[in-house]
Amino acid sequence: MPEVQAQDTVGLVKSSTLLFDQPLALACGETLNAYRLVYETYGELNSTRDNAILVCHALSGTHHLAGYYSEDDPKPGWWENLVGPGKVIDTNRFFVVGVNNLGGCHGSTGPTATNPNTDKPYGPDFPMVTVADWVESQNRLTQKLGIEQWAAIIGGSLGGMQVLQWSIDYPDRLRHAIVIAASPKLTAQNIAFNEVARQAIRTDPDFHDGHYYEHNTIPEKGLRIARMLGHLTYLSDDIMAEKFGRDLRQNAINFDYGIEFQVESYLRHQADRFVGTFDANTYLLMTKALDYFDPAAEVGSDLSAVLAKACADFFVVSFTGDWRFSPQRSHEIVKALHDNDLNVSYAEIESHHGHDAFLLALPQYLSVFGAYMDRIASECTK
Amino acid sequence: MSLSRSDFQVICDWITPYSRVLDLGCGNGELLNELSSNQGVSGYGIEIDDKNISQCIKAGINVIQRDLDMGLSDFDEESFDFVILSLTLQASSYPHRLLGEMLRVGAEGIVTFPNFGNITSRIQLGLGGRMPVNRTLPMEWYNTPNVHLCTLKDFEELCEKLGIEILERRAVSHNNKTGPGLKLFPNLFGEIALYRFRKKPS
């Protein structure tokens, strides 16, 4: 933990775990009899409990939004740029909750957890979970935390999809829905990228049909390729040109397959970091949850019809350089919202950072997001 | 209450309380804020400028960041009672299409624009031989966003062509004065022209 940051970071944080023993019926038809959810909170819940904010994470995110686990922790939580005292999601004003989704690999019950029926890790037997299942489990956490209604639920990318689902499934449990760099459903191209990533993992000889834990190994090669591919789609051509161009690691071309270009070095570094911290079965599950997400499917693909259930005020944000979930996808969401005469504001942030822009401290992003959060804060009890 | 622009007061008078409004090029949201706080009006603003978007959000205005030249295709037919276009028509790339779009998504349109037929502009161009630069048109020809300037006559001719029925017309000066000169010769003395209109009943 760098000392210079001490002013605007939540500092040292700890996770908590809650056990849920009420069976959870999942969309896939299976039931989880009991499960754990790991979460983190920052800031104080006020006396009227109306300043609580839930942050839903994206594909590879976790409940660890901000702060450090120890003095020696080199890296803060994934949304340190936006969550902290005085920041956009101001922990001096809000009680902020991050939760690791079901099926995750950072403490909530998922493929790496022990299956009570076999006393072995669930592995590939962990049931498929959907965005709606996550929202159901998060709603149970909400009740246990004693929160009647979230001041806001916020999420980027897959997190934004959870926010949409919340607004449909539990409309009166949130006052504001903040949907960032999201999409009402994946395109064929999106699904195709996910499938290539899954095939990389599933065809790795060390995958063992998902039972790799028993073989004391992990499908490292496949997971690395999956992450490299995913990472590419989170960046833009422009930002890669700016960051790496055709720069070489050494000054000359070696005519071999080692790391020659800086961009190759970067991708391998990303893969290295990911392999040590992320479970391959979880990656498969999360990409499936993305593919399946399509809340309008049940009403003839009419997004406006399904969002007719929503009553929250919405803030939708997209980034011009995001080709994974382009601004066009956000326009679809915004249209469905104003079709229902809901309060909605929409900001399209000029950025060449690709999909990952939602993680960054871009000035206009901070400006509009901060302005919206000020509005939410003004409605909360002081 | 004091509004920063002379056309805003007239627009507020024209808008029925509790109606649904779309404000195209809503700036910092001042007009929508006024309409929602004092007349119970609801609706959305459309704006392109980053700074204005932040200010609208701060003010609690529903604002959608969009380029008006991209059209209003995301809005369905007859979604609004009024569609407002204040001091923006002259900066749009396709004013005639935008007017058509306004009356597709709304029952009535309200447009305000700087009157290029105003006497100051006429003198500057006719006698001075130069593109007008004045209170209503403060920028030089090369850096002005106003690419489609017109006079009251021009606008009314276009309305006729597009099958638009003008319900109300007002010409005002900058300080919102409407003296007898303005009433008799609006195209000569009006600095800002205001129109309320709808599709001609077929």
Side-chain angles (χ1 to χ4, degrees), chain A residues 43-201:
Chain A
E44 302 285 329
L45 189 59
N46 65 15
S47 55
T48 50
R49 297 173 171 263
D50 68 358
N51 68 333
I53 286 186
L54 176 67
V55 175
C56 303
H57 69 72
L59 180 63
S60 60
T62 69
H63 55 292
H64 184 39
L65 308 178
Y68 300 82
Y69 285 140
S70 71
E71 297 286 347
D72 313 320
D73 193 347
K75 273 197 72 162
W78 61 268
W79 227 7
E80 179 77 12
N81 278 333
L82 278 92
V83 179
K87 292 185 181 174
V88 165
I89 303 174
D90 188 348
T91 49
N92 289 332
R93 302 193 287 191
F94 299 112
F95 175 67
V96 183
V97 180
V99 55
N100 186 211
N101 284 341
L102 214 49
C105 53
H106 293 87
S108 291
T109 303
T112 53
T114 305
N115 183 344
N117 298 330
T118 61
D119 277 333
K120 285 191 213 163
Y122 276 101
D125 300 330
F126 192 84
M128 289 272 188
V129 281
T130 63
V131 170
D133 295 331
W134 285 336
V135 166
E136 183 57 39
S137 66
Q138 289 163 4
N139 184 48
R140 292 185 184 180
L141 175 70
T142 307
Q143 289 165 344
K144 284 221 182 182
L145 292 175
I147 293 160
E148 287 258 310
Q149 188 185 52
W150 297 97
I153 303 183
I154 304 174
S157 189
L158 177 55
M161 293 170 163
Q162 291 160 61
V163 179
L164 279 178
Q165 191 76 49
W166 260 101
S167 74
I168 296 163
D169 290 352
Y170 291 101
D172 46 14
R173 285 211 175 256
L174 65 160
R175 289 196 296 282
H176 293 270
I178 302 185
V179 181
I180 305 164
S183 171
K185 62 182 171 199
L186 293 201
T187 61
Q189 189 194 44
N190 293 149
I191 296 171
F193 277 121
N194 283 345
E195 175 58 7
V196 175
R198 284 191 294 263
Q199 284 301 320
I201 292 169

Side-chain angles (χ1 to χ4, degrees), chain B residues 14 82 108-110 165-168 194-198:
Chain B
W14 280 350
F82 295 95
E108 286 188 16
I110 292 174
E165 179 188 7
I166 292 166
L167 300 169
E168 236 171 314
L194 302 97
Y195 287 90
R196 186 164 70 84
F197 53 87
R198 67 176 178 197

Side-chain angles (χ1 to χ4, degrees), chain A residues 315 335 338-339 341-348 364 367-368 371-372, chain B residues 20 44 50 53-54 57-58 60-66 74-76:
Chain A
F315 180 44
K335 174 178 173 21
H338 64 59
D339 276 352
D341 296 345
L342 287 163
N343 284 321
V344 51
S345 281
Y346 169 61
E348 195 164 299
Q364 177 63 11
S367 167
V368 289
Y372 199 86
Chain B
R20 285 195 55 74
Y44 306 95
D50 280 349
I53 295 286
S54 296
I57 291 173
K58 209 164 271 171
I61 298 296
N62 287 325
V63 67
I64 293 166
Q65 192 160 22
R66 260 344 261 285
D74 275 351
F75 291 93
D76 292 340

